Amino acid sequence: MAFMKPDINPDDIPYDSERIVYRALKEQLTNDFVVLHSYPWLRPDRDGALREGEVDFIVLHQEKGMLVLEVKGGELRYKNATWQRKKHHGYEVITDPFKQARCSMHYLVDRIEKQSGGDVRGIHFSYGHAVVFPHDYYSGEIPPGADEALILSRRDMDSIDQAIERAMASWPRREKPLTNHQWRRMATALLPEFNLFRPIVGTVDDVFEKIQEMTDEQIELLAGLYDENERIYVTGVAGSGKTQIAFDRSVELAKSSQLTLFVCYNNHLAEHLQRCLREHPEHARLKKWLKITNFHGFARELIEDAGIGWDPPKSAELLAKFFIEEVPELMEQAVILAMEEDEQVEYDAIVIDEAQDFHSRWWEVLQCTLLKDAENGILYAFADPVQKLWDWAPSNPPVSFAARYTLHRNCRNSRWIARTSTALAKTEAKFFRRSPLGNKPKIDTVPSIVSMKGTVMKVVEQLLHQHGLRPSQIVLIGPKNFENGSLGDIQQIDDVPLTGDVRIWLHGNALLVTTARSFKGLEADAVLLYDLDRISIGFSTVDLYVACTRARSHIHFFATGKQMIAEIDNAIKAVQQEFGT
């Protein structure tokens, strides 16, 4: 029995002539044949206008090729060089059925060549056409443009399998049958998959607009506290707008001519906020009063400006120890030397972001050495204890704050992403009632790290072309840095360069490939988490949580480890059950 496309009940076919042929082909041909019924086509004519047509049947076989069948019912004849059909008032001229079949045949060959990208060309397979008259016998001479082997009449309906074989054998044969790859490409060319989908870019724009509104509300919410307190410690869940609030507060302090230091842990975050400051409409005035930096870079600048030697160790372990044990003392010395030279190195106000990752000695040097009024000077700190990356950082800040406030509501991520993130981290977060739902997170189970590259590249191409996202809206986050991950030997994806430099990414010139720790504090519309194998010392549950919460509206996981896949899948299913979707 042949494979029929579509596979329908023949009784549903409106024309009796086609019903007869459909049944005969389905029942008599073997399962080596694929038969397409009522296949439409459309192509431009010479004048550019679209011309439409329909193929009654296309018979396909991997070895024998393709045969196009035109079916004609009723009583017909060929006379006076025209084809005619009998009507109640006599005969009327109709289109030559062999010409119809031939025209459709050439269209199909062209389509196969074009849609297969040249993998299947007319020279690769046998093709031809025939005409079926299921109601009639015939007599007389064969019309020009036809051949006895290409005429299937009523007497052939009980042995149509033999008639099809005879017709296909009448056309030029190819030395080799189609390969399995070519056979699949031909099927795809004739039966393409066409899906309508809502592009992510539309969801992204909607999510971003709503997120900005909710972040502004968080800023206004804290405004009253600033009026009454000059020392506030703000904790908040990931995505609660802490960094935006901290930046906004720093700008307001600078506007009031308060010399302000904004200091965070992540260098990339500092660079991003420096760019935001440069793009601020009052930048010319603000740059005099506001300095934005990360702690490590600030420490080096302060120490070198004082003329003190800067010689950090090379190894990561010794470098961490160096910044904890030696750098604070060197900073204190630098401040003393600067003050002896009457240089201004103290600040009226200090704002600390990512405070959960600051060592006790860093707190001490910032408050006691760099703040003009160590006891009462303006000091605001923003932290998320769940995102704490280092065991040596204190659980509670070693500074006395007049007020503490907790931001419980997520206003950066869509609800899908926020809840999936908290499910993975086994923590909680609240939302605004109008928080956008966003897209359900996607997960690809990848057989191995070796096959990771191709899977990720394909999805990136879809985001860029099908979903209309810009490179600056996409970030790829892995357990290892760019060079040491599965994408390390890839220079570009679909002509878009890959980079590990946030500054290049922020300018929209490349796709960013980075780690959760390097991207902490930053955000993107779409985050792709790749090379996910297992939770380890180098990639902890905190890293996974941080990475997830960097995405505003779309997140895609690429995992290989069974346990990792199970944890992510269970988190998504739990949220799906909660949302009832």
Side-chain angles (χ1 to χ4, degrees):
M1 186 173 290
F3 287 99
M4 307 299 290
K5 303 290 183 181
D7 191 357
I8 58 177
N9 185 340
D11 292 338
D12 294 333
I13 298 174
Y15 302 108
D16 178 62
S17 56
E18 291 185 21
R19 282 199 299 272
I20 295 171
V21 177
Y22 187 99
R23 283 196 181 94
L25 292 172
K26 181 176 182 178
E27 295 172 1
Q28 296 181 44
L29 294 180
T30 66
N31 59 11
D32 293 331
F33 287 89
V34 176
V35 179
L36 311 184
H37 171 239
S38 190
Y39 188 92
W41 58 263
L42 191 69
R43 70 176 178 186
D45 214 335
R46 292 181 180 180
D47 60 0
L50 289 174
R51 180 184 177 191
E52 62 179 341
E54 182 178 291
V55 185
D56 292 327
F57 292 94
I58 306 170
V59 180
L60 301 169
H61 191 281
Q62 186 170 353
E63 295 182 7
K64 304 180 189 309
M66 176 180 74
L67 185 68
V68 173
L69 298 180
E70 178 68 25
V71 178
K72 290 298 180 185
E75 188 174 341
L76 298 100
R77 70 182 185 185
Y78 182 78
K79 186 176 182 180
N80 298 325
T82 61
W83 280 89
Q84 303 168 5
R85 176 182 279 118
K86 188 175 183 180
K87 294 290 186 178
H88 65 278
H89 55 72
Y91 282 89
E92 69 176 17
V93 175
I94 63 170
T95 303
D96 182 343
F98 288 91
K99 183 178 180 180
Q100 282 183 277
R102 184 169 62 253
C103 181
S104 294
M105 176 192 72
H106 289 303
Y107 163 79
L108 292 170
V109 173
D110 289 343
R111 178 180 176 84
I112 291 169
E113 290 186 348
K114 183 181 296 184
Q115 296 297 110
S116 70
D119 284 354
V120 188
R121 297 167 59 194
I123 60 173
H124 295 142
F125 64 99
S126 176
Y127 58 88
H129 62 272
V131 178
V132 186
F133 304 99
H135 295 136
D136 304 326
Y137 296 137
Y138 68 87
S139 62
E141 298 295 326
I142 303 297
D147 184 87
E148 186 176 3
L150 307 182
I151 300 175
L152 282 66
S153 67
R154 181 171 181 168
R155 61 171 55 92
D156 293 307
M157 291 304 98
D158 292 333
S159 56
I160 200 169
D161 54 339
Q162 298 175 28
I164 292 294
E165 293 268 6
R166 183 175 66 250
M168 297 184 87
S170 299
W171 295 97
R173 305 293 297 170
R174 307 304 177 194
E175 294 182 3
K176 298 179 180 179
L178 292 173
T179 65
N180 290 337
H181 171 72
Q182 290 176 317
W183 178 237
R184 288 192 295 269
R185 292 289 279 160
M186 175 184 277
T188 303
L190 293 175
L191 295 172
E193 185 174 327
F194 180 74
N195 298 311
L196 291 174
F197 62 92
R198 184 165 297 177
I200 291 173
V201 68
T203 305
V204 162
D205 293 340
D206 181 55
V207 169
F208 182 79
E209 182 178 344
K210 291 181 179 178
I211 283 173
Q212 193 59 52
E213 290 178 3
M214 293 183 291
T215 303
D216 291 342
E217 289 186 19
Q218 295 276 56
I219 293 172
E220 292 177 9
L221 185 65
L222 287 174
L225 282 177
Y226 298 141
D227 296 336
E228 302 294 333
N229 303 280
E230 294 189 332
R231 295 213 168 180
I232 305 175
Y233 184 65
V234 179
T235 58
V237 297
S240 56
K242 297 182 299 297
T243 296
Q244 184 63 44
I245 295 170
F247 175 76
D248 180 80
R249 187 55 188 158
S250 300
V251 169
E252 291 303 313
L253 288 167
K255 284 182 179 180
S256 62
S257 301
Q258 303 259 31
L259 191 61
T260 305
L261 172 68
F262 179 105
V263 59
C264 59
Y265 183 88
N266 189 346
N267 180 47
H268 294 320
L269 175 58
E271 290 176 346
H272 167 62
L273 294 177
Q274 288 165 4
R275 183 186 179 198
C276 291
L277 182 62
R278 289 193 299 270
E279 294 175 352
H280 195 282
E282 298 183 57
H283 171 249
R285 177 189 173 194
L286 292 174
K287 68 178 181 179
K288 176 183 176 181
W289 298 100
L290 176 58
K291 182 179 182 63
I292 297 177
T293 182
N294 76 311
F295 181 82
H296 298 71
F298 176 65
R300 177 174 182 172
E301 180 183 344
L302 183 69
I303 293 167
E304 288 186 330
D305 285 350
I308 300 175
W310 178 262
D311 187 24
K314 301 298 182 183
S315 73
E317 183 178 351
L318 293 177
L319 185 63
K321 187 176 181 181
F322 170 74
F323 269 97
I324 291 172
E325 297 180 358
E326 298 183 40
V327 165
E329 293 184 6
L330 293 175
M331 292 174 72
E332 291 168 351
Q333 294 176 27
V335 171
I336 293 172
L337 290 173
M339 293 177 68
E340 289 177 352
E341 298 294 329
D342 291 327
E343 295 178 7
Q344 179 59 265
V345 291
E346 293 179 308
Y347 292 88
D348 300 312
I350 295 178
V351 179
I352 304 173
D353 193 22
E354 303 179 298
Q356 74 278 354
D357 291 325
F358 277 58
H359 192 273
S360 298
R361 285 287 285 126
W362 301 358
W363 281 95
E364 182 181 342
V365 74
L366 288 170
Q367 178 197 6
C368 300
T369 306
L370 289 160
L371 195 60
K372 286 181 181 179
D373 186 347
E375 295 299 322
N376 302 304
I378 298 173
L379 180 62
Y380 300 120
F382 297 80
D384 178 4
V386 178
Q387 295 190 62
K388 178 182 171 184
L389 296 175
W390 310 108
D391 293 334
W392 42 253
S395 299
N396 289 300
V399 173
S400 178
F401 285 94
R404 294 189 177 220
Y405 191 85
T406 300
L407 298 168
H408 295 287
R409 298 184 185 278
N410 182 299
C411 64
R412 176 177 63 209
N413 313 115
S414 68
R415 277 182 286 161
W416 254 115
I417 293 173
R419 284 299 295 120
T420 302
S421 302
T422 54
L424 287 170
K426 296 177 176 57
T427 185
E428 290 297 328
K430 297 180 180 179
F431 318 97
F432 286 88
R433 290 182 178 179
R434 65 182 184 282
S435 293
L437 179 63
N439 296 316
K440 177 183 177 182
K442 294 188 176 182
I443 178 171
D444 274 354
T445 300
V446 185
S448 66
I449 293 295
V450 175
S451 56
M452 180 72 66
K453 179 167 51 181
T455 306
V456 173
M457 290 175 67
K458 181 178 180 180
V459 171
V460 172
E461 290 174 356
Q462 291 173 347
L463 291 176
L464 291 171
H465 292 286
Q466 294 184 14
H467 293 279
L469 294 183
R470 301 184 303 275
S472 60
Q473 294 178 287
I474 305 169
V475 62
L476 296 96
I477 298 178
K480 300 178 182 178
N481 60 27
F482 179 17
E483 293 76 12
N484 296 321
S486 64
L487 301 176
D489 61 342
I490 301 297
Q491 295 182 346
Q492 59 184 24
I493 297 178
D494 200 25
D495 296 330
V496 178
L498 270 59
T499 182
D501 191 328
V502 171
R503 292 167 297 183
I504 297 175
W505 173 72
L506 287 172
H507 281 87
N509 299 324
L511 292 159
L512 179 65
V513 185
T514 186
T515 63
R517 299 188 181 192
S518 294
F519 202 65
K520 190 164 68 70
L522 296 169
E523 58 191 50
D525 291 308
V527 170
L528 279 59
L529 296 182
Y530 73 106
D531 285 1
L532 299 180
D533 183 27
R534 58 191 174 86
I535 297 297
S536 63
I537 296 176
F539 189 76
S540 65
T541 301
V542 174
D543 291 307
L544 181 60
Y545 172 71
V546 170
C548 290
T549 55
R550 300 308 97 195
R552 279 194 290 260
S553 62
H554 180 74
I555 192 165
H556 199 133
F557 300 93
F558 300 86
T560 58
K562 291 183 179 179
Q563 184 177 355
M564 179 72 80
I565 293 169
E567 287 190 18
I568 296 171
D569 195 48
N570 289 337
I572 295 174
K573 287 179 179 177
V575 178
Q576 186 169 8
Q577 185 175 6
E578 175 186 332
F579 288 165
T581 58

